[in-house]
């Protein structure tokens, strides 16, 4: 069965041509799926009844269902756990901050990069998500938020998985996400985050020219990064920073450097100094995230004072550095935690 909601606009046109139909039928179906959120051919009233009937036998829609959600009593952020057709589960989190909702979506079930501080990393890699499953998270959350007349303002590919390790499906999802007839998000509002798969970054920019990039750096020496992010043994800090310096970043855009502050690992003023050196001259902003320990984590959060000292040092040295609010522990905030809970309990 062809998953009809895993196809870009062009692929849908080609699909209808392959069925001996007019290509514009593809456009019609595309608008029903993404513009109107319809998940049944019989509701696509501008398709002839015969074609509706034919499609029900050869094509289907991606199944993704909300299994659980938790609302943070601290800030109203919502963590979702979705059930996929094959019984696997993924998480998304709608982060509420100053009237905006940023939705953090998953690109894989589990992850093969094994970052030491990450609950998803400890799950290991299970499988890639299809484009339909990636977008399904956005559609489901939008549907949920609509009840309270809320809507998603920004999307970040920063949930479970490494997006660049599932690049083909991620690229398709980006195309549909940012297409006016698709989900209609402005490019400015969509960010792809990578742990540093240096060999895939060029392709991302080649195909998705206006994409916003975030890079999880999290350490300023190879010794520490090798330990907490094993991907560093393939592409070390120098490889990564050299790649960032060659990217065709558009005027007024900045790369986001994500830096999870972990107690006693990467939170000293020496780290802050090295960080400044590493990013010197690059169009970047730094997002500091206070580590949120998951079950069984060997690491812990730094004190508020240490975090403040780190941020102040960056700001005093003219680096734009935000402290990203860590999601409340009350909703198993960090990536992979709700999934882990379901698979342990
Ligand atoms: Fe994978 Fe990201 Fe977790 Fe690293 S931090 S293991 S890249 S999900």
């Amino acid at each position: 069965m062809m998953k009809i909601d895993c196809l870009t606009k062009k692929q849908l046109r080609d699909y209808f041509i392959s069925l001996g139909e007019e290509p514009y039928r593809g456009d019609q179906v595309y608008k029903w799926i993404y513009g109107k959120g319809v998940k049944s051919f019989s509701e696509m009233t501008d398709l002839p009844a015969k074609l509706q009937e034919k499609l029900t036998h050869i094509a289907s829609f991606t199944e993704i269902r909300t299994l659980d959600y938790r609302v943070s009593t601290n800030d109203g952020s919502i963590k979702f756990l979705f059930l996929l057709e094959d019984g696997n589960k993924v998480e998304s989190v709608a982060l509420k901050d100053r009237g905006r909702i940023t939705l953090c979506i998953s690109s894989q079930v589990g992850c093969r990069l094994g970052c030491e501080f990450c609950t998803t990393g400890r799950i290991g890699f299970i499988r890639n998500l299809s484009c339909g499953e990636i977008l399904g998270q956005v559609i489901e959350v939008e549907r949920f938020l609509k009840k309270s007349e809320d809507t998603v303002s920004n999307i970040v590919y920063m949930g479970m998985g490494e997006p660049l390790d599932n690049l083909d499906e991620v690229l398709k999802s980006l195309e549909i996400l940012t297409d006016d007839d698709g989900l209609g998000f402005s490019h400015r509002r969509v960010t792809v985050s990578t742990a540093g798969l240096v060999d895939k970054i060029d392709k991302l920019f080649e195909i998705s020219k206006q994409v916003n990039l975030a890079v999880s750096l999290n350490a300023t020496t190879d010794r520490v990064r090798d330990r907490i992010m094993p991907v560093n043994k393939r592409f070390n800090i120098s490889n990564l920073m050299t790649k960032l310096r060659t990217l065709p970043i558009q005027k007024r855009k900045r790369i986001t450097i994500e830096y999870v502050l972990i107690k006693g690992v990467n939170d000293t003023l020496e780290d802050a100094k090295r960080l400044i050196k590493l990013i010197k001259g690059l169009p970047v902003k730094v997002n500091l995230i206070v580590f949120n320990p998951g079950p069984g984590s060997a690491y812990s959060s730094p004190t508020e004072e240490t975090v403040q000292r780190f941020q102040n040092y960056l700001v005093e040295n003219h680096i734009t550095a935000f402290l990203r609010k860590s999601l409340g522990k009350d909703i198993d905030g960090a990536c992979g935690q709700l999934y882990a809970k379901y698979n342990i309990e």
Side-chain angles (χ1 to χ4, degrees):
M1 276 260 186
M2 168 63 76
K3 288 284 182 206
I4 202 89
D5 49 4
C6 280
L7 301 175
T8 62
K9 200 191 275 174
K10 166 146 192 342
Q11 288 172 328
L12 256 179
R13 282 184 194 147
D14 291 344
Y15 177 63
F16 277 89
I17 293 170
S18 76
L19 296 178
E21 301 286 340
E22 293 293 333
Y24 76 87
R25 296 289 183 206
D27 294 349
Q28 288 175 309
V29 170
Y30 187 86
K31 283 184 187 164
W32 279 111
I33 297 173
Y34 300 110
K36 298 186 180 132
V38 162
K39 276 193 142 193
S40 118
F41 295 114
S42 60
E43 287 176 63
M44 300 182 179
T45 47
D46 54 1
L47 297 185
K50 230 173 142 187
L51 180 56
Q52 289 179 3
E53 168 72 12
K54 181 174 166 184
L55 288 169
T56 54
H57 295 296
I58 56 174
S60 63
F61 298 84
T62 301
E63 293 286 336
I64 172 165
R65 180 162 79 70
T66 305
L67 185 64
D68 192 8
Y69 69 91
R70 299 194 182 171
V71 183
S72 167
T73 49
N74 304 334
D75 55 18
S77 296
I78 311 168
K79 182 126 191 177
F80 296 87
L81 186 70
F82 295 113
L83 180 66
L84 308 176
E85 241 169 280
D86 61 358
N88 274 307
K89 304 172 195 89
V90 283
E91 297 176 354
S92 308
V93 60
L95 181 58
K96 291 195 180 176
D97 190 21
R98 284 165 291 173
R100 282 188 327 184
I101 297 181
T102 299
L103 179 63
C104 180
I105 54 174
S106 297
S107 54
Q108 298 179 315
V109 186
C111 182
R112 71 178 106 228
L113 296 198
C115 300
E116 271 237 321
F117 53 86
C118 167
T119 310
T120 306
R122 290 202 295 276
I123 294 163
F125 176 73
I126 298 175
R127 72 167 173 85
N128 283 328
L129 293 188
S130 68
C131 166
E133 290 168 331
I134 296 170
L135 295 174
Q137 298 166 64
V138 181
I139 294 167
E140 283 300 302
V141 172
E142 285 279 37
R143 193 167 303 172
F144 180 94
L145 293 176
K146 211 173 171 183
K147 291 181 239 159
S148 48
E149 294 183 11
D150 271 332
T151 183
V152 173
S153 349
N154 296 284
I155 307 265
V156 289
Y157 287 69
M158 209 186 283
M160 297 171 77
E162 160 58 51
L164 301 195
D165 191 33
N166 182 17
L167 192 52
D168 291 341
E169 295 302 302
V170 165
L171 285 171
K172 274 203 283 177
S173 67
L174 280 170
E175 188 177 327
I176 298 168
L177 203 55
T178 55
D179 179 16
D180 286 343
D181 292 331
L183 292 178
F185 281 83
S186 143
H187 283 95
R188 281 185 294 113
R189 302 196 287 138
V190 180
T191 301
V192 174
S193 173
T194 178
L197 288 189
V198 167
D199 58 338
K200 304 277 177 64
I201 294 178
D202 283 336
K203 188 169 174 198
L204 173 70
F205 272 83
E206 213 178 281
I207 314 263
S208 195
K209 294 188 175 53
Q210 299 184 60
V211 70
N212 293 307
L213 184 70
V215 174
S216 290
L217 186 61
N218 305 330
T220 56
T221 65
D222 283 326
R223 190 180 55 80
V224 173
R225 202 164 189 266
D226 277 354
R227 175 158 64 95
I228 62 172
M229 298 183 73
V231 67
N232 198 64
K233 292 176 190 153
R234 273 166 72 199
F235 305 107
N236 65 19
I237 294 178
S238 162
N239 298 151
L240 178 58
M241 301 320 283
T242 305
K243 172 54 68 189
L244 298 188
R245 288 180 194 282
T246 64
L247 291 178
I249 303 296
Q250 296 183 331
K251 265 192 189 160
R252 290 200 291 273
K253 278 204 171 189
R254 286 187 287 180
I255 300 168
T256 304
I257 301 291
E258 303 282 348
Y259 196 96
V260 178
L261 285 160
I262 308 172
K263 185 178 181 180
V265 174
N266 60 3
D267 60 348
T268 64
L269 276 189
E270 285 310 307
D271 286 297
K273 279 180 201 167
R274 282 191 292 265
L275 178 57
I276 292 170
K277 247 187 177 168
L278 286 171
I279 60 180
K280 197 167 182 222
L282 268 171
V284 294
K285 59 183 175 189
V286 176
N287 257 358
L288 298 171
I289 305 149
V290 180
F291 177 65
N292 180 3
S297 172
Y299 297 108
S300 53
S301 332
T303 61
E304 243 174 66
E305 196 190 338
T306 306
V307 171
Q308 212 47 70
R309 199 177 49 193
F310 198 99
Q311 184 187 22
N312 289 348
Y313 190 83
L314 296 182
V315 173
E316 280 159 16
N317 283 278
H318 316 292
I319 304 289
T320 311
F322 300 102
L323 186 58
R324 211 176 72 199
K325 272 204 311 192
S326 206
L327 258 176
K329 291 184 178 102
D330 58 328
I331 57 167
D332 299 303
C335 140
Q337 288 186 6
L338 189 56
Y339 173 102
K341 200 158 208 166
Y342 260 79
N343 282 270
I344 291 165
E345 279 171 353

